[in-house]
Amino acid sequence: MHASPLFARAVARLLCRVDAALGRPGTLDFVDMAAGRGELVTKVLAALPVGVAARTRAYAVEVADRPEGLDPRVRWLPEPPGGLTGLLFANEWLDNVPVDVAEVDAAGVARRVLVRGDGAQRLGEPVTGAAAAWLDRWWPLPGGEGLRAEIGLPRDEAWAAAVASLDAGLAVAADYAHTVAARPPFGTLTGFRAGRETAPVPDGSCDITAHVALDACAAAHAARCAPERTPPEALVRPQREALHALGITGARPPLALARTDPAAYVRALASASEAAELTAPGGLGDFLWLLQPVGAVDAAALLVDVAYDEEQ
């Protein structure tokens, strides 16, 4: 669904706003992290105004081989290049970066959870060092037996490295996520098989995922900045809020259109249904977006619902 034409148009509109904020540079970069088969980057390119598309250098970052028939304008890489100016968009990437799970034992000690190939779990050694410091700051575990947390250090490091590829612009991570004010008490580790939730068995039979501590990721980038430079403020916003600001509202078309142009009404109704799914509370609308600006970019201003003067 997140590679839908409607979602791609919203990302293209965001890229245009970043372009305007950067003063419309001669080369505008767009990076699709965890690109799959390149569906999103292809549709973003198709949705751009002609003049913007002509200046856009598109990258798909994926460890799999380049799919046949992909738009030749898309550069296929295992990691983002450096020196980018534009938008890096990571849609459901960070939730697939592996993390360790900690669980509180009967004595109130947070221990790593060990998992066998068949999915059976047991408690291992106590969490210490950098992982323990991360828990103390980002996911404190009181002494209740059975409480769990996912230690997000690898995601923090992956995100900070991705953002470092930008010289100027905006990095966005969109994922099922949470912040320190509302961490789930028993964690979020789960598996998915054929689109349905299942036990997280690490035998290759299902996708294993856990929600992302996006506020910790944002701070990881800030920590990499030079001490004398205060990084621009990052934002964490629900997907429905971000998409609404980018023109995806889910509003039904007026019934009068059904009388004057039935075909256009049907198309508009289908688009409204798709928008409603992308922004629905309790569903995709509960995704969180981390907007991390680099350089002289105001993330909040990019979500002001203003018309973009499209370059032709």
Side-chain angles (χ1 to χ4, degrees), residues 78-259:
E79 58 186 29
L84 298 169
T85 299
L87 174 63
L88 180 145
F89 201 89
N91 186 50
E92 293 191 82
W93 168 50
L94 288 173
D95 68 334
N96 286 319
V97 175
V99 293
D100 284 341
V101 176
E103 181 177 322
V104 179
D105 68 10
V109 176
R111 295 180 175 272
R112 294 182 188 271
V113 176
L114 306 181
V115 187
R116 295 193 324 201
D118 62 1
Q121 301 179 10
R122 65 177 179 86
L123 298 187
E125 69 282 1
V127 179
T128 59
W134 188 94
L135 286 177
D136 287 343
R137 180 179 181 186
W138 293 111
W139 200 328
L141 287 171
E145 183 178 4
L147 295 180
R148 283 192 168 198
E150 288 112 24
I151 305 170
L153 269 176
R155 291 166 173 181
D156 295 357
E157 293 164 358
W159 179 245
V163 178
S165 67
L166 283 170
D167 283 349
L170 181 74
V172 177
D175 244 306
Y176 278 121
H178 42 66
T179 60
V180 71
R183 302 287 190 221
F186 300 103
T188 62
L189 182 70
T190 191
F192 285 92
R193 182 184 296 115
R196 295 185 176 183
E197 193 166 4
T198 186
V201 179
D203 61 358
S205 66
C206 65
D207 292 329
I208 298 175
T209 183
H211 296 187
V212 183
L214 278 181
D215 47 352
C217 293
H221 163 69
R224 280 197 175 194
C225 295
E228 67 276 8
R229 296 180 61 187
T230 301
E233 183 180 1
L235 299 178
V236 177
R237 294 289 186 270
Q239 174 162 290
R240 58 180 162 275
E241 180 180 320
L243 290 183
H244 286 166
L246 293 168
I248 308 301
T249 65
R252 293 172 63 91
L255 285 174
L257 184 62
R259 295 189 294 272

Side-chain angles (χ1 to χ4, degrees), residues 5-133:
L6 196 64
F7 189 81
R9 286 200 294 273
V11 176
R13 186 170 290 118
L14 179 59
L15 177 58
C16 287
R17 292 184 183 181
V18 171
D19 180 41
L22 293 171
R24 298 187 178 91
T27 299
L28 179 68
D29 295 308
F30 175 66
V31 180
D32 180 11
M33 293 292 296
R37 297 188 57 80
E39 298 92 341
L40 179 61
V41 65
T42 299
K43 291 172 182 174
V44 168
L45 283 174
L48 289 173
V50 173
V52 178
R55 293 185 289 109
T56 297
R57 190 166 49 185
Y59 299 92
V61 176
E62 182 57 76
V63 295
D65 292 337
R66 180 188 182 99
E68 294 184 7
L70 183 67
D71 189 321
R73 293 176 294 174
V74 178
R75 306 181 188 193
W76 193 266
L77 299 172
E79 58 186 29
L84 298 169
T85 299
L87 174 63
L88 180 145
F89 201 89
N91 186 50
E92 293 191 82
W93 168 50
L94 288 173
D95 68 334
N96 286 319
V97 175
V99 293
D100 284 341
V101 176
E103 181 177 322
V104 179
D105 68 10
V109 176
R111 295 180 175 272
R112 294 182 188 271
V113 176
L114 306 181
V115 187
R116 295 193 324 201
D118 62 1
Q121 301 179 10
R122 65 177 179 86
L123 298 187
E125 69 282 1
V127 179
T128 59

